[in-house]
Amino acid sequence: MSLRIAFIGFGKSANRYHLPYLNIRPDFELAKVYTRKSVDDKLAQPYKDKGTKFTTNLNDVLDDPEIDLVTICTPASTHYELAKSVILANKSVIVEKPFVDSVEHARELLKLGRENGVLVMPYQNRRFDGDYLAVKKVIEQGFLGDILEVESHIDYYRPNTVTDSGTKEQGTFYGLGIHLMDRMVSIFGRPDTVAYDIRNNEVADAVDNYFDVDLHYGTKNKVKVKAEFVVASDYPRFIVHGTNGSFIKYGADQQENDLKAGIMPGSEGFGEDSPMYYGVANYRNSNGDWIKKQIKTPVGDYGKFYDATYDTLINDAPKLVTDKEAITDIELLEAGFKAESPSVYQMPDFEI
């Protein structure tokens, strides 16, 4: 069974992180695209040739009874209102990250989805980054023992690129922090306490370009997520320490680099990591011997998010991103701005 999908927004997000993966998935048919203004003909024409209708009237999407699923790829400030209109039109919806601006809005949309019998889920595609999949595999296999500390980075050397003022949703913590925290929440669940340092370390009155956030799980495990725009030397993407060993992984997932180079999903070698960037595990085996070896990086595939979505809509499989995870993610973002940084936030008991 094929799902007819519509997109709201046709910018970089749609054309880089969504559509290249849907193009090779016959279970999805791109029926319509809504944008507020005319689109780049060079990008749009291949889809028009396949029968996709482009429109500047949102009702062309909302009122179409044959649309099963809508993906929202617009600025974060528009997510809540657009998602609400899609849900009220009785259509399932995928919302680009960050899902919404507040826990209140997250709870409202998820509740509305349940009441209307439609799927509502944020697009947490970075759960299918190869570097993250390597870390997840190492942790789940257990040979590092009990996990005591995880550090996850996204660093750049891009000085003086974040200089404008704006809302918190326009800053780096909402933009990149959501990826880093969601992946840790999907492994370890909801933390107990969170310590925040969020700021712009170049321009005082601009939105944040730096964050260093610690998620505390009980008294033993701490997860640090960090991003900075003035890092000139490579730092590991992941560092994991356990009672029985450590794992260190350099190098980012290769999907984005391939997409920028015009190499598309389905092409030979797409998304494959270079062996020079394979993570290294140093651990003690059951005989007490120390083992040091490279761990081959799994091939990342953002399209698996849509595979999981299809399985939920057609086969009633559990949601890839649970409602509890979606709410926790936004709570972690929002709590970072409840007090002036540095600050500490005690996570309350969770209620759906």
Side-chain angles (χ1 to χ4, degrees):
M1 177 180 175
S2 178
L3 290 174
R4 287 175 58 84
I5 186 171
F7 268 67
I8 295 178
F10 193 67
K12 183 179 78 172
S13 173
N15 281 283
R16 181 175 293 174
Y17 302 112
H18 295 261
L19 292 173
Y21 298 91
L22 288 172
N23 289 341
I24 60 171
R25 283 172 163 76
D27 289 334
F28 291 87
E29 176 191 349
L30 181 60
K32 289 183 178 178
V33 174
Y34 161 75
T35 61
R36 290 187 302 170
K37 54 186 179 181
S38 60
V39 299
D40 184 328
D41 284 338
K42 185 177 179 181
L43 290 174
Q45 195 59 51
Y47 296 103
K48 291 180 178 179
D49 291 343
K50 295 178 182 178
T52 301
K53 179 181 178 181
F54 285 74
T55 179
T56 55
N57 184 349
L58 182 59
N59 288 330
D60 286 343
V61 171
L62 300 180
D63 296 339
D64 187 341
E66 295 186 353
I67 299 294
D68 303 300
L69 174 67
V70 177
T71 294
I72 296 175
C73 291
T74 56
S77 61
T78 67
H79 288 179
Y80 166 71
E81 292 293 348
L82 285 172
K84 187 173 182 178
S85 67
V86 172
I87 297 166
L88 291 174
N90 291 306
K91 301 183 188 305
S92 293
V93 64
I94 300 299
V95 184
E96 249 294 359
K97 61 79 191 172
F99 180 32
V100 284
D101 59 332
S102 68
V103 170
E104 178 184 1
H105 284 162
R107 287 185 178 278
E108 179 186 349
L109 293 184
L110 292 167
K111 181 174 182 287
L112 201 58
R114 292 191 295 271
E115 291 173 348
N116 284 269
V118 296
L119 173 71
V120 180
M121 193 163 61
Y123 186 62
Q124 298 298 163
N125 62 311
R126 297 287 185 168
R127 292 191 184 191
F128 298 103
D129 272 343
D131 53 344
Y132 168 71
L133 292 173
V135 167
K136 186 170 184 275
K137 179 180 179 181
V138 166
I139 291 174
E140 290 176 346
Q141 286 180 337
F143 57 79
L144 297 185
D146 295 334
I147 302 302
L148 303 178
E149 187 173 9
V150 178
E151 190 166 341
S152 177
H153 279 240
I154 297 180
D155 294 320
Y156 303 101
Y157 185 71
R158 299 176 181 175
N160 299 312
T161 56
V162 183
T163 59
D164 293 333
S165 60
T167 65
K168 64 183 187 300
E169 296 82 31
Q170 295 171 293
T172 300
F173 188 48
Y174 263 73
L176 294 180
I178 183 61
H179 288 312
L180 299 182
M181 291 189 302
D182 171 74
R183 297 190 300 194
M184 295 299 100
V185 167
S186 74
I187 294 177
F188 299 112
R190 189 175 169 85
D192 299 306
T193 305
V194 189
Y196 294 95
D197 181 3
I198 305 169
R199 50 194 161 92
N200 191 305
N201 58 10
E202 296 182 281
V203 181
D205 295 327
V207 296
D208 56 281
N209 71 344
Y210 170 97
F211 61 83
D212 185 340
V213 176
D214 292 338
L215 313 177
H216 292 265
Y217 292 86
T219 58
K220 291 186 176 181
N221 183 19
K222 182 181 82 170
V223 174
K224 177 183 289 292
V225 295
K226 187 173 180 179
E228 188 169 358
F229 278 63
V230 193
V231 178
S233 296
D234 287 342
Y235 197 87
R237 297 283 283 197
F238 284 97
I239 300 173
V240 182
H241 298 303
T243 55
N244 217 37
S246 299
F247 177 74
I248 296 178
K249 171 74 174 78
Y250 282 86
D253 176 86
Q254 290 302 302
Q255 292 177 83
E256 186 166 8
N257 289 336
D258 285 349
L259 290 166
K260 288 178 180 179
I263 304 170
M264 291 293 109
S267 302
E268 183 177 355
F270 176 83
E272 290 184 3
D273 203 7
S274 169
M276 68 182 292
Y277 290 119
Y278 289 174
V280 176
N282 188 28
Y283 65 98
R284 187 175 50 191
N285 68 13
S286 58
N287 294 325
D289 301 320
W290 282 95
I291 307 297
K292 189 172 186 177
K293 67 176 182 179
Q294 283 190 312
I295 306 295
K296 183 177 181 180
T297 308
V299 178
D301 182 358
Y302 299 153
K304 289 184 177 179
F305 183 96
Y306 280 101
D307 294 339
T309 300
Y310 183 90
D311 205 23
T312 298
L313 290 174
I314 301 302
N315 301 318
D316 204 28
K319 295 168 71 170
L320 174 69
V321 183
T322 68
D323 289 358
K324 182 176 181 179
E325 290 170 343
I327 293 169
T328 297
D329 287 346
I330 299 303
E331 183 178 356
L332 289 169
L333 293 178
E334 188 178 24
F337 295 90
K338 286 184 178 294
E340 184 177 353
S341 264
S343 66
V344 175
Y345 178 72
Q346 188 71 39
M347 298 285 281
D349 291 339
F350 182 82
E351 295 182 4
I352 193 68

